[in-house]
Amino acid sequence: MSRCINNKNVKSSNRSTILMLLYCRGAMSRKELANITGLTPAAVSLLIGEMIEQNIVAEIREQAAGKKVGRREIMVDILRPTHVCIGVSLSVKNESQICLMDFRGQILMARDLLFDPCETGEELADLLVAELAEYKTFCEQHNLVLVGLGVSLRGIVNSVEGVWIDTYGVVAQKNVKLRDLLRERLRIPVVIEDNVRAMAGAEVLLSGGETSGEILFVKYGPGLGAAVCIQNEVYNGANFKAAELGHTRIQMGEKSYGLEDLLSYTYICDQVKEKFSAEAFPILYALLQDKKEELTIQHILDSYEMGDPGAAKVIHECQRNILIGVYNAACFFDPREIVFYGKAFELKRFCEDFWKQIEESDELGEYKKSMRKSGFNTEFIGKEAATLALRLFLENGGYVHTYP
C-alpha cells in the first residue's frame, strides 16, 4: 500500500539529501546542489537558509564559477567541528569503549568502558547514563551540539525497533529495549545496531563517497563477522541476521562445522595446544619456555610473524577457511568491494600470506580485484557507534528530536 507523504516529510527528505551530499562530497554551491538533487535553485536556497539559521550549515568561502571572469559562487558546508555525537561500543569486557566524535570524524574524548554483565536492561541503561554524564557536560562547556548517541552491540540486534534480541550474556535478559531505555533517560536521539553492521555503515559514510556503496564487509577476530551494504545502506535481513558468515556450514570429511569453529582465535589456540612441542612450534616453544597453560592468541601471532612453521601452518588453514566463506558470500551478494577488517590485517606476514592465497586462488576469479583492507582498520571501537548517530542526524534532515 502506498503512503501519503506530507509536506513536512518532503522537506525533511530534501534536507537529508542536501546534508548527505555536503557530508560526503564537502563544500558545494547552491547551484551545484540544485543541479545534483533536481530541486529548484529557489528550493535549495530556502532549505540552505533555514539550516544556516539553525547553525547546521554555514557559508564558508567563495570560488570562481565556470569560465566567466569575476563571477564567484558562495560555498556552503556542514559545521563539522561544532556538531558531535557519542558512541558506545559494547563488546567483550576488554574491548568496550565510549567516545565523542565530531562531524570531521575526529575523536575528541575516548576511554575504555569496564563493566560486568547486568541482570536487566534497566541496570545496563543506568550504568551507561552514569558513564555518559561527563561527555554531556563536556559538550555543554564547549558549546558543542550533541546530535545523538549510537550504540554498537555484539549479538542479534533489531535496529528498527531498537531491541537487543540476544545480548550474548551481557544482559541476563533477552529482547532488551535498549534504545527506548536510553532515550527515556538521556532525552536525545539514540540508535543501536549490531557491531559489524555498524562498522560496515561507518566504512561507507566516513569514506566520503570513496567506496562503491556495494560492499561485503568482513571482520576477523576473535571470530568471524560480516555485513553487506547495498546502495550505501546496510542490509539487515528479515530477522536481522543477514551475512552471518561465521554461522555458515563447511564440510570437512564426513562432518559439518560452523565456519567460525574452524578459524576463530579459540580454534587456533586449541589447535596449537593439541600439537604443542619444541619440534612443531620451535619459536613459540622458546617464547613460552614450555608454559603451554599461558598460551594466548597474541603469543601465536607473534611467533607466526617471527617465522614459526607450526604457527604458520595453523594460520594458513584459517586463512583458507576465511576465503572459502568470503567466496560463498560473494556468490550470493555479488559485491563491488570486499573489505577486510581486524587486528590481524595490521600484521605484515599475515597480510602477505593472506593476499598470496587470494592471488593463487582460482575460485575467487574477478573478486580478487575488489578485495582490500578497511580504510579504518582497528579504528572502530566506539567510532562506528558514533557514526550511527551521525547517520541518523543526516537522514533526519538535521532535525534533532528531543524526548519528554
Side-chain angles (χ1 to χ4, degrees):
M1 181 182 294
S2 62
R3 293 170 53 190
C4 295
I5 303 177
N6 61 36
N7 289 337
K8 184 177 179 180
N9 289 340
V10 171
K11 184 178 180 180
S12 177
S13 177
N14 290 339
R15 282 173 52 132
S16 174
T17 300
I18 290 171
L19 289 175
M20 278 290 188
L21 280 169
L22 291 174
Y23 189 82
C24 291
R25 300 191 186 186
M28 302 174 72
S29 69
R30 292 169 174 80
K31 182 179 179 181
E32 288 175 307
L33 288 167
N35 289 338
I36 294 171
T37 62
L39 296 170
T40 65
V44 169
S45 292
L46 179 63
L47 294 172
I48 290 295
E50 285 183 357
M51 290 190 283
I52 288 175
E53 288 181 7
Q54 295 163 359
N55 291 317
I56 298 171
V57 303
E59 296 178 340
I60 59 169
R61 67 174 186 269
E62 294 183 349
Q63 75 171 22
K67 298 179 180 179
K68 295 184 179 180
V69 177
R71 186 182 173 192
R72 306 184 69 80
E73 292 180 340
I74 297 174
M75 310 296 284
V76 296
D77 197 4
I78 298 172
L79 287 167
R80 299 171 192 252
T82 60
H83 286 69
V84 296
C85 33
I86 298 175
V88 175
S89 177
L90 285 184
S91 185
V92 293
K93 189 170 184 178
N94 295 326
E95 292 189 12
S96 296
Q97 191 174 79
I98 303 175
C99 76
L100 182 70
M101 183 184 82
D102 67 21
F103 278 22
R104 297 169 295 186
Q106 294 184 5
I107 301 300
L108 306 180
M109 295 176 65
R111 63 179 173 82
D112 293 336
L113 173 64
L114 301 177
F115 65 96
D116 294 316
C118 299
E119 288 297 318
T120 66
E122 287 80 2
E123 181 184 343
L124 177 62
D126 289 338
L127 182 154
L128 292 177
V129 169
E131 295 285 349
L132 294 172
E134 66 176 296
Y135 288 77
K136 294 188 72 177
T137 300
F138 180 89
C139 292
E140 293 167 1
Q141 291 174 341
H142 293 81
N143 295 317
L144 300 173
V145 181
L146 177 60
V147 305
L149 165 68
V151 185
S152 71
L153 305 161
R154 293 177 70 244
I156 301 173
V157 181
N158 178 338
S159 54
V160 176
E161 300 295 330
V163 179
W164 197 0
I165 298 170
D166 190 339
T167 69
Y168 287 10
V170 175
V171 182
Q173 297 175 329
K174 291 192 175 183
N175 297 310
V176 176
K177 296 180 179 179
L178 187 60
R179 182 193 65 188
D180 291 347
L181 290 171
L182 290 170
R183 203 158 63 181
E184 289 166 4
R185 288 160 171 77
L186 295 168
R187 304 189 181 195
I188 60 173
V190 177
V191 57
I192 70 171
E193 181 58 280
D194 163 85
N195 64 333
V196 183
R197 289 202 294 267
M199 291 177 186
E203 180 82 28
V204 171
L205 185 59
L206 295 180
S207 68
E210 291 183 7
T211 67
S212 65
E214 309 278 341
I215 69 171
L216 172 63
F217 185 93
V218 181
K219 177 183 178 292
Y220 178 55
L224 184 69
V228 173
C229 290
I230 301 172
Q231 295 182 350
N232 295 309
E233 298 290 335
V234 177
Y235 177 65
N236 290 318
N239 299 297
F240 302 94
K241 297 180 180 180
E244 288 280 2
L245 201 54
H247 296 174
T248 56
R249 309 300 293 179
I250 184 171
Q251 195 73 23
M252 302 285 286
E254 296 182 356
K255 291 186 177 181
S256 175
Y257 299 88
L259 182 60
E260 190 169 76
D261 296 333
L262 297 174
L263 51 77
S264 70
Y265 287 176
T266 299
Y267 172 79
I268 292 173
C269 290
D270 289 345
Q271 289 293 298
V272 171
K273 286 178 180 178
E274 183 180 320
K275 305 165 186 174
F276 191 69
S277 69
E279 293 75 24
F281 301 92
I283 296 175
L284 180 59
Y285 194 90
L287 284 174
L288 287 173
Q289 297 295 313
D290 194 26
K291 296 177 182 177
K292 183 172 72 171
E293 67 279 1
E294 297 181 6
L295 177 73
T296 66
I297 185 63
Q298 194 60 54
H299 291 130
I300 298 170
L301 291 173
D302 287 345
S303 68
Y304 167 63
E305 289 292 305
M306 295 165 66
D308 189 292
K313 184 176 180 181
V314 176
I315 297 293
H316 291 165
E317 177 197 349
C318 293
Q319 290 176 335
R320 285 192 293 273
N321 289 336
I322 292 171
L323 292 174
I324 288 171
V326 168
Y327 173 72
N328 289 337
C331 288
F332 278 105
F333 296 108
D334 194 25
R336 292 185 184 274
E337 292 180 272
I338 299 172
V339 179
F340 294 100
Y341 179 95
K343 291 180 181 178
F345 296 103
E346 294 300 305
L347 302 177
K348 184 175 183 293
R349 188 179 180 192
F350 185 96
C351 284
E352 289 175 350
D353 292 349
F354 188 71
W355 296 114
K356 182 179 179 182
Q357 290 207 44
I358 290 172
E359 289 302 318
E360 293 176 351
S361 170
D362 293 328
E363 289 183 331
L364 291 173
E366 66 271 20
Y367 293 117
K368 294 180 185 180
K369 295 181 293 184
S370 67
M371 295 182 174
R372 64 173 175 86
K373 185 175 80 172
S374 167
F376 303 91
N377 199 47
T378 72
E379 292 184 26
F380 291 150
I381 304 179
K383 195 170 190 176
E384 84 291 353
T387 306
L388 293 170
L390 165 59
R391 180 182 286 273
L392 181 65
F393 175 82
L394 298 175
E395 290 178 344
N396 284 342
Y399 295 111
V400 179
H401 300 289
T402 56
Y403 300 89

